[in-house]
Amino acid sequence: MLRYALRRSAAAVAVLFGITLVVFLLLRFIPGDPATAVLLTMFDPGAGSAELTMADIEDLRTKLGLSDPLPVQYSNWLGQILQGNLGTSLRSRQPILGELALRIPGTLILAGASLVVMFAIAIPSGILGALYAGRPVDHVTRILSLTGESLPNFFLGVLLIYLFAIQLDWLPAIGRKGPESIILPAITLGTGIAAATSRLLRASLLDTLSQPYMLMAEAKGLPRGRLLMRHALRPALIPVLTSSSLVAGGLLGGAVVVETVFAWPGVGRYMIEAIGGRDYPVIQGFTLFMAGLFVMLNFSVDILYRFLDPRVRVEEQGHV
């Protein structure tokens, strides 16, 4: 177990190092000068501001460390990251890590509620699809899953706002004003992920039910429904667990769009505001933070998967 964990840890560290390099280089090679872009967003001629000069641009480039060679810039930035310092926002002048910490609870609430919606839709529909495979119920669940997976989050969110907030006036459209404010964003974010999970669970259940020992139990008279619920569901959930890190990635990525549509106070909306204001340190810090979180989720799933699936332990012993 220790050797397996060390291998996975080494792989996670290598991936994180590659992510830091990609995040650093992406913002250094985008068209235009970051210092000029930032100053242009702050410069307002109508407000009587002083004229933007090259001295202002060079001064900001020095403060951002953009005048140093790229290896020096990267080593300085990586050193700050290793100390837990994601930098300072150019707009608010506040530490980025502190601003993320203020907004993470909102995103976690949205992600948790979306997971509830996902499981409430995916597990029953996946079980029904496997239990009545090839029948009308199965066709309906598959059509609904395909429809839910095809609808973009922003489009579904606008439809829900129009129906439940504007036409019916049942739920608030935007903001975080009470417990009921989470319903529409959670349905929007959870539906698309539920569709993919439902199809995966259905396929996994059908594969498990086709195993020889399952066919033997069914031939002996054990009802298919009881066989599915008591003996097939647990092993069939292993592929679903394996994809949970991808589900988490979908939640984090989808939260950016959903939080913008519903004006939900979370890290996704924070990122959109940073992009609009060309706040490059925030974009870097947010991208690195979310990528690191995604890598850690994958690492946790790998470790948990070893305990749940004995085949991984057998394969590991065979390589020793």
Side-chain angles (χ1 to χ4, degrees):
M1 172 59 190
L2 180 60
R3 184 178 299 177
Y4 178 80
L6 289 175
R7 286 205 308 266
R8 303 309 302 173
S9 299
V13 171
V15 170
L16 285 174
F17 176 77
I19 289 172
T20 62
L21 191 60
V22 171
V23 169
F24 173 80
L25 292 177
L26 276 178
L27 289 181
R28 292 305 188 278
F29 290 110
I30 59 176
D33 179 53
T36 304
V38 170
L39 287 176
L40 286 175
T41 60
M42 298 178 178
F43 180 65
D44 184 8
S49 303
E51 185 179 353
L52 186 63
T53 64
M54 289 299 299
D56 296 325
I57 297 175
E58 289 300 324
D59 182 60
L60 184 58
R61 285 183 60 83
T62 302
K63 291 180 180 179
L64 295 177
L66 298 175
S67 300
D68 299 326
L70 282 179
V72 175
Q73 293 183 41
Y74 177 71
S75 61
N76 292 336
W77 178 69
L78 185 60
Q80 293 181 352
I81 296 300
L82 293 176
Q83 296 175 17
N85 180 16
L86 295 180
T88 303
S89 171
L90 296 177
R91 295 185 305 157
S92 65
R93 312 296 186 193
Q94 298 297 319
I96 296 171
L97 191 60
E99 293 194 329
L100 285 174
L102 291 176
R103 291 165 173 81
I104 284 175
T107 299
L108 291 180
I109 291 174
L110 175 59
S114 301
L115 281 176
V116 173
V117 173
M118 183 200 77
F119 285 122
I121 297 175
I123 293 181
S125 61
I127 292 175
L128 286 174
L131 189 60
Y132 299 100
R135 301 180 186 179
V137 173
D138 180 31
H139 297 319
V140 171
T141 57
R142 284 194 290 173
I143 291 174
L144 291 177
S145 296
L146 184 60
T147 303
E149 197 171 3
S150 303
L151 283 176
N153 284 336
F154 65 89
F155 181 71
L156 179 59
V158 171
L159 285 181
L160 293 178
I161 289 174
Y162 177 75
L163 178 60
F164 292 102
I166 298 177
Q167 293 295 321
L168 300 177
D169 196 22
W170 287 356
L171 297 168
I174 59 174
R176 184 178 174 185
K177 303 173 183 177
E180 66 279 3
S181 300
I182 192 63
I183 296 177
L184 293 183
I187 293 176
T188 302
L189 186 54
T191 300
I193 302 173
T197 305
S198 172
R199 297 175 64 187
L200 177 61
L201 178 59
R202 174 188 177 275
S204 181
L205 280 171
L206 289 176
D207 180 68
T208 303
L209 288 172
S210 65
Q211 297 301 314
Y213 66 95
M214 289 289 181
L215 296 176
M216 178 66 70
E218 188 174 4
K220 289 184 176 181
L222 190 66
R224 187 176 178 85
R226 183 179 176 184
L227 183 67
L228 185 148
M229 297 301 298
R230 290 196 176 186
H231 303 285
L233 185 58
R234 182 176 177 181
L237 286 174
I238 292 178
V240 177
L241 174 65
T242 307
S243 69
S244 61
S245 58
L246 299 178
V247 170
L251 286 174
L252 296 176
V256 176
V257 177
V258 173
E259 288 177 5
T260 303
V261 171
F262 291 94
W264 184 263
V267 294
R269 189 181 177 196
Y270 178 57
M271 175 64 167
I272 294 298
E273 292 173 350
I275 293 174
R278 300 189 182 185
D279 198 339
Y280 292 100
V282 171
I283 298 172
Q284 274 188 324
F286 173 86
T287 305
L288 185 61
F289 176 82
M290 299 305 283
L293 181 60
F294 187 68
V295 170
M296 294 307 299
L297 286 172
N298 275 277
F299 174 77
S300 301
V301 169
D302 285 342
I303 299 300
L304 183 60
Y305 188 57
R306 184 184 183 279
F307 285 101
L308 293 179
D309 193 348
R311 293 173 295 183
V312 177
R313 296 194 293 272
V314 172
E315 182 180 354
E316 180 185 354
Q317 293 172 358
H319 288 291
V320 176

